[in-house]
C-alpha cells in the first residue's frame, strides 16, 4: 500500500507530536506503576537490595493485625459521607442560584473561592474554627448544643474533616450552575402547565437532565476524596481512629522503611477504588439519562 | 519550497516541545552538586585523606532553618580553606521529609557524602546506609572522651560501634521565666530540686482570673523528650536494655508518665490538649513561653534566640529529680555521619572529623545556632548567653543526660506509642491501659519482619 507523501507526513507528525507525552507517560506513570506492582511482592527498605517475599505483604495486610481494614474503614467513612453530602448541597445551591440573576455572579465566586485557598491555610483556619471553644461550638451553644472537641476528640476528627472538605469543594456549585443553563426552558414551562410544582420539577426534570454531571462529580469525588492526604497528614496522622489510606501508606513507605509493604497497600487500595468506581458506574445505568438516548 | 519550509518549521516545533517535555524528566531529586568532580576511576580509597590536586565535590545533607544552613556551610568553608580542592555543598532538606529524601537519594544512586543525623541514625546504621566510624576514629587517634560528654558519644552508638560524630550538643532542659518567679516570691530552681518542689512552684505560678487560667505554671506536650524526663526520672524505660521487649507497663515508667500527665489534668498547672486547641493550631510550650503565658517550659537550646527577641528574663535549670534519685535530660543533639555509598568516604570522614573539632564547631557558637557538642567550645558558648543567664546549674547536672534506647525500628515504634498514648494525653484513658496497649503494639513491631 503506497501512501502518498502528505498522508505519510501526517502520520509521522502524529507520532512525533505524541512522543513527548508518551515519554512522560511511560517515565512518570506506566513504568513506576509496574515497578510498584513488582515492589509489592518484595520487602524493601530502600537502603538494601529488595528481598522477594511473594504474597506475604498482601497476606499480612488482609489477615494480619487489621490495621489496613481499620484505615480503610476510616477512609471509606470520610469519602462515602463527604461525596454524597457535597453533591446534594452543591445541587441545591446551584438550583437556588439559578433563580436570581443579579447576585448569581457574586455567589458563584464566593462558593468557588474556598477551593482556591492553599490546603495548609485551610487546615489552620479550620483547626481554629473547630477548636473546643471555637466559633462553631460557640454557635452550637446558642441553640443549646454542647459541641464536641472536634479535632481533639478521637470520635469526631473524621466529622471535622468532612466539614472542612464540604467547605472547600466549591467547584461543584459552579459546575452544576453551568449545567443547569443547558436544561431546556420549555421542559419546565410544559410541566408547569400540566400542574407540576417546583419540587416535582426538581426531581423529574432537573435531576435527570443533570445526571451525567452528577455522575461525573460522583466518580471524581469518590476517587479524589478517598486519596486525601495533606489535611489528614497535618491534623491526624498519629490518631488511629482517623488515619486514612494515603498518609498510612506514606508513613509505612518513608518513615518505617517498608517500601514493599507500602506498595502492596497502594495496589490493594487501587483495587478498592476501582471496585467502587465500577459499582457506581454500574448503578448509574439505572438513573443517568443521556440526551440523544431513545 | 513552501513544503520543505513547512516541514522544517514543524520539525523545529516538535523538537522544542520534546525538549521541554524531556527537561522535566531530567530532574532528579538529589542532583545538585553531585559528587563527580573529575573522574577518580576505580580506587577512590586512596591512603591520603585529601588528594592535593584532584578536585572533589562533597554533598552534606542537613535540616533546619536559615541559621542552621549558614552555620553548616560556614563550617564546611573552614575546611575548604585548609583544603582548597575539596568543595562541600550543604543541602537543606525540610525536616518533615528528611528521611524520605535521604532514602530516595541513596536508592536513586546519588547518595550524599555526609549526613546530619539524630535519632534516625539507628535504622540507617542497622541497614548499613551509614558507615561504622570506629576504625577511622581509632586510626586517626581522636580521643572521644576528651572531646565529648559520654551522653553524646553513646547516643550515636549501635551495637557498640560509633556511627556518627557528635555535632551539636543539645539536650532537653527546663526554661523558667525569672520575672514570674520573682513576682511569686519563689527562689530559682537549682540542680537537685525534686518533683515535689517543681510541682509546688508550678502550683504557685498558675494564676487564674475569672475562672480562666491566664498564666500556667508549666506546659506539657506529648513529645517524648518531655515525658521521658519524668519516666526516666522514675527509673523507667520504653524498651529493655537489649531492645527486645517493651517495658512501659512497669510501675516506674507508669509512675513518671502519670505524674507528667497529672500536671495537666489533676494539678491543672499545665494546659490540656483541649486548651492547646483553643489557643490555636500549632500552639505549644515554646510559643506560650515566648508569649509570657507559662512559667516553665521543657525544651531545647534552639529556643534561646526567640526568648531573647521577646526580651524575656529567663533562666535554665535541669529537670527535677525523681524517685530514682536522678532527673532526666534527653540528649537531643545531632551527629554527622558518613554515607556508605559516598564516593569519597575517607575524605568525607576527614571533613566530619574537622567539623566536629573545636575549630570546626566555632561557627555554631558564633552564629548562636545551638550548643556545640565539643567540650572545649562550651565555655565560649556560655559567654554568648544573654546577660544574666547562667549555665552553672546545667553544668552541675550533666550526669542526668541520657539517651533513650533507640532501636532500628525507632520511627515505627515512636509513631505507635504516640498513637497509643493519644487518648491518655487527651485525658480519656488511664495510664495502665495506655502503657499495656503500647507494650503490646511495640512488642509486635519488635517481633515483626
Amino acid at each position: 500500500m503506497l501512501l502518498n507523501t502528505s498522508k505519510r507526513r501526517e502520520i509521522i507528525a502524529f507520532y512525533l507530536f505524541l512522543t513527548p507525552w508518551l515519554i512522560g507517560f511511560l517515565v512518570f506513570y506506566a513504568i513506576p506503576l509496574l515497578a510498584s506492582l513488582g515492589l509489592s511482592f518484595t520487602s524493601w527498605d530502600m537502603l538494601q537490595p529488595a528481598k522477594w517475599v511473594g504474597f506475604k505483604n498482601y497476606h499480612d495486610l488482609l489477615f494480619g493485625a487489621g490495621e489496613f481494614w481499620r484505615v480503610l474503614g476510616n477512609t471509606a467513612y470520610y469519602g462515602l459521607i463527604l461525596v454524597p453530602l457535597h453533591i446534594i448541597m452543591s445541587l441545591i445551591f446551584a438550583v437556588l442560584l439559578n433563580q436570581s440573576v443579579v447576585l448569581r455572579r457574586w455567589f458563584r465566586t464566593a462558593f468557588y473561592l474556598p477551593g482556591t485557598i492553599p490546603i495548609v491555610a485551610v487546615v489552620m483556619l479550620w483547626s481554629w474554627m473547630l477548636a473546643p471553644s471555637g466559633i462553631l461550638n460557640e454557635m452550637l451553644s446558642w441553640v443549646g448544643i454542647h459541641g464536641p472537641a472536634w479535632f481533639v476528640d478521637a470520635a469526631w476528627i473524621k466529622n471535622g474533616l468532612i466539614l472542612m472538605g464540604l467547605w472547600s469543594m466549591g467547584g461543584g456549585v459552579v459546575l452544576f450552575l453551568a449545567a443547569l443553563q443547558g436544561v431546556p426552558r420549555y421542559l419546565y414551562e410544559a410541566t408547569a402547565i400540566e400542574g407540576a410544582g417546583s419540587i416535582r420539577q426538581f426531581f423529574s426534570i432537573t435531576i435527570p437532565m443533570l445526571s451525567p454531571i452528577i455522575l461525573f462529580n460522583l466518580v471524581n469525588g469518590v476517587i479524589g476524596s478517598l486519596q486525601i492526604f495533606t489535611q489528614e497528614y497535618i491534623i491526624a496522622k498519629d490518631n488511629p481512629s482517623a488515619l486514612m489510606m494515603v498518609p498510612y501508606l506514606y508513613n509505612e513507605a518513608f518513615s518505617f522503611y517498608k517500601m514493599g509493604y507500602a506498595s502492596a497497600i497502594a495496589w490493594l487500595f487501587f483495587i478498592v477504588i476501582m471496585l467502587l468506581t465500577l459499582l457506581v458506574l454500574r448503578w448509574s445505568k439505572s438513573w443517568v439519562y443521556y440526551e440523544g438516548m431513545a | 519550497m513552501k513544503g520543505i519550509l513547512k516541514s522544517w518549521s514543524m520539525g523545529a516545533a516538535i523538537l522544542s516541545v520534546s525538549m521541554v517535555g524531556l527537561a522535566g524528566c531530567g530532574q532528579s531529586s538529589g542532583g545538585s552538586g553531585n559528587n563527580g568532580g573529575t573522574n577518580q576511576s576505580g580506587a577512590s580509597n586512596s591512603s591520603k585523606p585529601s588528594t592535593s590536586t584532584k578536585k572533589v565535590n562533597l554533598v552534606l545533607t542537613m535540616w533546619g532553618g536559615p541559621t542552621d544552613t549558614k552555620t553548616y556551610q560556614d563550617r564546611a568553608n573552614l575546611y575548604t580553606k585548609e583544603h582548597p580542592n575539596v568543595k562541600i555543598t550543604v543541602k537543606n532538606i525540610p525536616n518533615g521529609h528528611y528521611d524520605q529524601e535521604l532514602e530516595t537519594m541513596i536508592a536513586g544512586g546519588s547518595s550524599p557524602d555526609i549526613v546530619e543525623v539524630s535519632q534516625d541514625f539507628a535504622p540507617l546504621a542497622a541497614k548499613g546506609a551509614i558507615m561504622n566510624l570506629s576504625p577511622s576514629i581509632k586510626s586517626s587517634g581522636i580521643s572521644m572522651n576528651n572531646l565529648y560528654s559520654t551522653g553524646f558519644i553513646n547516643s550515636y552508638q549501635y551495637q557498640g560501634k560509633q556511627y556518627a560524630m557528635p555535632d551539636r550538643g543539645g539536650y532537653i532542659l527546663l526554661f523558667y521565666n525569672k520575672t514570674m518567679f520573682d513576682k511569686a516570691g519563689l527562689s530559682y530552681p537549682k540542680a537537685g530540686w525534686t518533683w515535689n518542689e517543681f510541682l509546688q512552684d508550678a502550683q504557685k505560678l498558675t494564676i487564674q482570673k475569672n475562672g480562666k487560667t491566664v498564666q500556667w505554671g508549666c506546659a506539657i506536650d506529648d513529645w517524648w523528650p518531655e515525658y521521658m524526663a519524668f519516666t526516666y526520672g522514675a527509673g523507667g524505660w520504653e524498651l529493655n536494655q537489649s531492645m527486645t521487649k517493651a517495658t512501659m507497663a512497669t510501675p516506674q515508667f507508669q509512675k513518671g508518665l502519670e505524674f507528667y500527665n497529672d500536671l495537666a489534668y489533676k494539678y491543672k498547672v499545665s494546659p490540656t490538649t483541649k486548651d492547646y486547641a483553643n489557643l490555636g493550631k500549632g500552639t505549644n510550650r515554646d510559643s506560650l513561653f515566648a508569649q509570657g503565658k507559662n512559667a516553665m517550659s521543657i525544651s531545647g537550646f534552639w529556643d534561646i534566640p526567640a526568648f531573647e527577641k521577646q526580651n524575656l528574663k529567663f533562666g535554665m535549670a535541669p529537670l527535677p529529680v525523681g524517685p530514682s534519685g536522678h532527673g532526666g535530660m534527653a540528649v537531643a543533639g545531632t551527629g554527622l555521619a558518613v554515607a556508605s555509598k559516598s564516593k569519597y568516604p575517607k575524605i568525607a570522614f576527614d571533613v566530619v572529623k574537622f567539623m566536629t573539632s573545636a575549630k570546626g564547631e566555632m561557627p555554631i557558637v558564633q552564629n548562636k545556632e545551638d550548643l556545640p557538642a565539643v567540650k572545649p567550645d562550651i565555655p565560649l558558648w556560655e559567654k554568648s548567653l544573654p546577660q544574666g543567664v547562667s549555665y552553672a546549674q546545667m553544668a552541675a547536672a550533666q550526669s542526668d543526660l541520657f539517651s533513650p534506647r533507640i532501636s532500628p525500628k525507632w520511627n515505627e515504634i515512636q509513631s505507635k506509642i504516640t498513637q497509643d498514648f493519644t487518648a491518655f494525653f487527651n485525658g480519656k484513658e488511664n495510664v495502665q491501659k495506655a502503657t499495656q496497649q503500647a507494650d503490646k503494639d511495640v512488642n509486635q513491631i519488635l517481633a515483626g519482619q
Side-chain angles (χ1 to χ4, degrees), chain A:
Chain A
M1 199 168 37
L2 210 68
L3 296 165
N4 55 13
T5 32
S6 86
K7 202 68 193 294
R8 205 188 309 142
R9 222 188 287 140
E10 232 180 87
I11 295 178
I12 294 178
F14 167 75
Y15 282 109
L16 276 179
F17 270 119
L18 194 63
T19 310
W21 176 86
L22 197 62
I23 295 180
F25 173 74
L26 284 174
V27 171
F28 291 115
Y29 203 80
I31 294 180
L33 207 74
L34 292 172
S36 106
L37 182 59
L39 279 177
S40 69
F41 295 108
T42 68
S43 160
W44 188 40
D45 59 11
M46 299 220 352
L47 302 168
Q48 296 166 319
K51 237 175 25 177
W52 184 265
V53 292
F55 279 96
K56 179 169 184 299
N57 288 334
Y58 290 99
H59 184 268
D60 287 345
L61 281 167
L62 294 171
F63 307 113
E67 200 172 29
F68 176 78
W69 295 108
R70 204 175 42 235
V71 173
L72 186 60
N74 289 340
T75 317
Y77 180 95
Y78 173 77
L80 301 180
I81 292 186
L82 174 65
V83 176
L85 257 182
H86 170 250
I87 291 181
I88 294 173
M89 281 180 56
S90 301
L91 199 53
I92 294 177
F93 279 125
V95 166
L96 287 174
L97 279 186
N98 208 20
Q99 318 289 338
S100 67
V101 180
V102 176
L103 295 170
R104 186 193 318 178
R105 272 190 228 115
W106 191 92
F107 273 112
R108 199 174 53 192
T109 313
F111 274 115
Y112 195 73
L113 266 177
T116 62
I117 301 180
I119 295 185
V120 180
V122 173
V123 169
M124 296 275 132
L125 180 65
W126 276 88
S127 301
W128 176 72
M129 290 210 289
L130 291 183
S133 308
I135 291 186
L136 186 64
N137 281 352
E138 195 53 35
M139 298 203 298
L140 285 175
S141 70
W142 297 340
V143 279
I145 303 176
H146 179 70
W150 296 107
F151 290 145
V152 193
D153 187 343
W156 286 87
I157 296 184
K158 294 194 285 281
N159 297 329
L161 285 169
I162 291 176
L163 271 182
M164 197 166 74
L166 274 177
W167 180 77
S168 46
M169 281 167 78
V173 174
V174 176
L175 215 61
F176 283 135
L177 203 53
L180 278 172
Q181 308 310 311
V183 179
R185 267 277 140 81
Y186 70 80
L187 285 176
Y188 291 109
E189 290 162 9
T191 50
I193 295 176
E194 304 278 333
S198 44
I199 304 233
R200 187 64 207 273
Q201 283 179 333
F202 180 74
F203 282 104
S204 300
I205 302 177
T206 317
I207 292 197
M209 292 302 282
L210 250 47
S211 50
I213 305 280
I214 296 179
L215 177 63
F216 172 79
N217 270 349
L218 192 59
V219 171
N220 267 8
V222 165
I223 296 177
S225 68
L226 287 177
Q227 294 179 44
I228 172 183
F229 180 68
T230 311
Q231 4 355 3
E232 158 68 12
Y233 199 71
I234 297 178
I235 292 177
K237 74 166 148 70
D238 286 327
N239 209 310
S241 58
L243 184 62
M244 301 201 190
M245 203 50 89
V246 182
Y248 169 56
L249 187 164
Y250 183 88
N251 273 344
E252 292 289 333
F254 295 111
S255 294
F256 305 159
Y257 299 91
K258 286 149 82 177
M259 189 54 95
Y261 193 69
S263 301
I265 297 175
W267 276 88
L268 277 179
F269 193 42
F270 166 68
I271 293 174
V272 168
I273 295 186
M274 181 127 92
L275 285 175
L276 265 173
T277 309
L278 284 174
L279 220 86
V280 171
L281 287 174
R282 193 56 60 87
W283 175 56
S284 77
K285 288 210 169 89
S286 65
W287 55 270
V288 175
Y289 166 76
Y290 291 103
E291 256 183 299
M293 282 163 74

Side-chain angles (χ1 to χ4, degrees), chain A residues 16-17 20 23 28 45-48 67 127 131-133 149 152 234 238-240 250 254-258, chain B residues 14 18 22 25 97 100 103-104 106-107 123-124 127 129 273-274 277-278 281 411-412 415-416 419 422 426 449:
Chain A
L16 276 179
F17 270 119
I23 295 180
F28 291 115
D45 59 11
M46 299 220 352
L47 302 168
Q48 296 166 319
E67 200 172 29
S127 301
S133 308
V152 193
I234 297 178
D238 286 327
N239 209 310
Y250 183 88
F254 295 111
S255 294
F256 305 159
Y257 299 91
K258 286 149 82 177
Chain B
I14 292 170
S18 316
L22 288 173
C25 304
H97 37 96
Q100 175 206 344
E103 292 159 41
T104 313
I106 296 178
L124 292 173
K127 294 170 195 296
T273 49
K274 260 202 199 158
N278 283 333
K281 175 121 186 89
N411 284 337
E412 210 174 337
S415 173
K416 211 21 142 185
Q419 279 185 28
T422 301
N426 283 345
Q449 322 133 301

